Amino acid sequence: MSDPLPKYWQSLAERAGDLGALAQTQDEFAEPLPVGVAATPPDANSRRDFFKLMGLSAAAAMVACQRAPVQQIIPYVARPDEVTPGLALWYASTCDGCSARCGLLLKTRDGRPIKVEGNDEHPVSRGGVCAVGQASVLSLYDASRARYPTRGATRVSWTDLDADVTQALRKATEAGKGIRVVLPWHLGPTAEAAVKRFLAAYPTARTVRDEALGELSAIADAHRVTHGVHAVPDYRFDKAAVIASFGADFLGTWVSPVAFTRQYAESRDVARRRTMSRHFQVEPVMTLTGAAADRRFVVAPSDVALVLADLVRRLAVKAGREVPGLASLPPPALDEASRAELADTLWAQRQDALVVAGGDDVATQVLANVANALLGNEGHTVSLADGTALDADALSLGTLLTELRAGSVGAVLFMGANPVYSDPRGAELAALLKDVPLTLSTSDRRDETAVHVGLHAPESTALESWGDAEVRRGVVSLRQPAVAPLHETRSGVESLLQWAGAPQPHYDFLRARWEAEVFPGPAAWGRASSSSGTMPSAGAW
């Protein structure tokens, strides 16, 4: 008969019934305490010696610990009218976490930003903000931020750094060497104006646009092929009755996910619309957008473009048009019934249909443009007139690498870009930068690119500097600082203006441009300040 009480063991020796192991389990401490003389076996005094050592350690720790230095709380000498100690103060601003540039409300308490929320009155994001925008306040207090400009690993003043940069830029111009400014694709209008001011000061200067995912540049390049305009259109998912997405995670990461999520929710709201929009997703991996789709087709990455090409061929037949070059393509690995259903559903809606494609393949984006043109939805669910124009004269990173190999570049400035990390050719770029007389980065920390340049001019975060954005044509929003710079950093716009020989505070440069281009008259100033939640009040100016 089995023992009704289970037996527990803590070692194999105890399970085997070893007498030495069983005797050891009767002691309070399973192993001898490391006190006393090593040669002396544990005895009755060992436990007492152990507590003596513990008491001595605790006393030493109490003596070593010191109180933090006393800091006196000094009240305001002249307290601002809108500030009440202990109560939060909110500022309307614009997010700088990605190219979407959503509207934000910054919560500050006693002069320190502590929370980021979406601005309900922003006409595009409409109160939404992604996880990157929510976490932007953490970068302000990040201990790994760069706190001052450096030459190599040595701290320098801004005056010395500006002198080095100006002298090197002048030498590069006199020698006929190229000056390249590596930038993200999507900057605010004022930042773009500062870039143009810098390019005008140096005839050999050109911009190089870099994007980690390459989707914006692929969309713009495709529209330059099909429409002759290097721009990203404005997609309106809220006006679409049928949505066909080919690898575009527009609810997660594609172009402007916060705005698209709001639009997508409206298109699926049966309380506001008679019918709910239908959503087809063709993708190789599971995405947030694919999880929300009505019909999701899983294909290989190489078949996404083939399915889209088959759709274009079917739509062209229905429209009585001919698209050359599609008949020779191999058939995609998707059943005939699904492909026919996708084409028939899109064609039934035509103007109320929308086709989008993800990825950095320009040919795939061209196919998406052709599909939308065959459906006739341009100006309704796809609006190029309301889109954002990108830099049409910018060089690619591949062109920059070619110039660096040839030794024709005298200066490379990285402004908000980290291609050594984001580009597969980053290791080659880092090696080629060693032969360039002037290399500089304005990143807010010593990232992968900054450690391979000679000068580091750290840029202030978006919560410490001014700026603006135009995410849709005619929709312009301001970014205003919620706190003074915590460290010895400077705005990238001020750096460009300084090196261009036209030093000016970022605030003055932005205000002058807005007065001249956005609000040309005093009457318009008053109307805008009282009607738009994304703009600061007139008193903030």
Side-chain angles (χ1 to χ4, degrees), residues 458-532:
E459 187 174 4
S460 301
T461 64
L463 301 181
E464 301 171 307
S465 60
W466 289 88
D468 56 4
E470 187 174 8
V471 295
R472 183 187 296 170
R473 187 162 298 179
V475 180
V476 187
S477 61
L478 277 173
R479 187 187 77 235
Q480 60 175 329
V483 66
L486 301 182
H487 307 298
E488 194 178 338
T489 57
R490 188 171 67 183
S491 169
V493 171
E494 291 187 17
S495 296
L496 286 175
L497 296 176
Q498 178 70 36
W499 302 331
Q504 191 177 8
H506 191 173
Y507 170 79
D508 295 340
F509 184 72
L510 181 143
R511 178 172 181 173
R513 200 197 70 83
W514 272 60
E515 288 178 342
E517 301 180 22
V518 182
F519 295 141
W525 275 93
R527 291 196 300 270
S529 62
S530 61
S531 61
S532 176

Side-chain angles (χ1 to χ4, degrees), residues 411-442:
V412 181
L413 310 180
F414 296 94
M415 310 286 295
N418 186 13
V420 174
Y421 170 77
S422 61
D423 196 272
R425 299 160 292 183
E428 181 184 3
L429 175 61
L432 293 173
L433 289 177
K434 298 178 181 179
D435 300 328
V436 181
L438 172 63
T439 55
L440 180 143
S441 174
T442 63

Side-chain angles (χ1 to χ4, degrees), residues 381-401:
T381 57
V382 179
S383 177
L384 192 59
D386 295 331
T388 304
L390 301 185
D391 189 356
D393 300 327
L395 303 176
S396 65
L397 190 63
T399 304
L400 175 62
L401 291 174

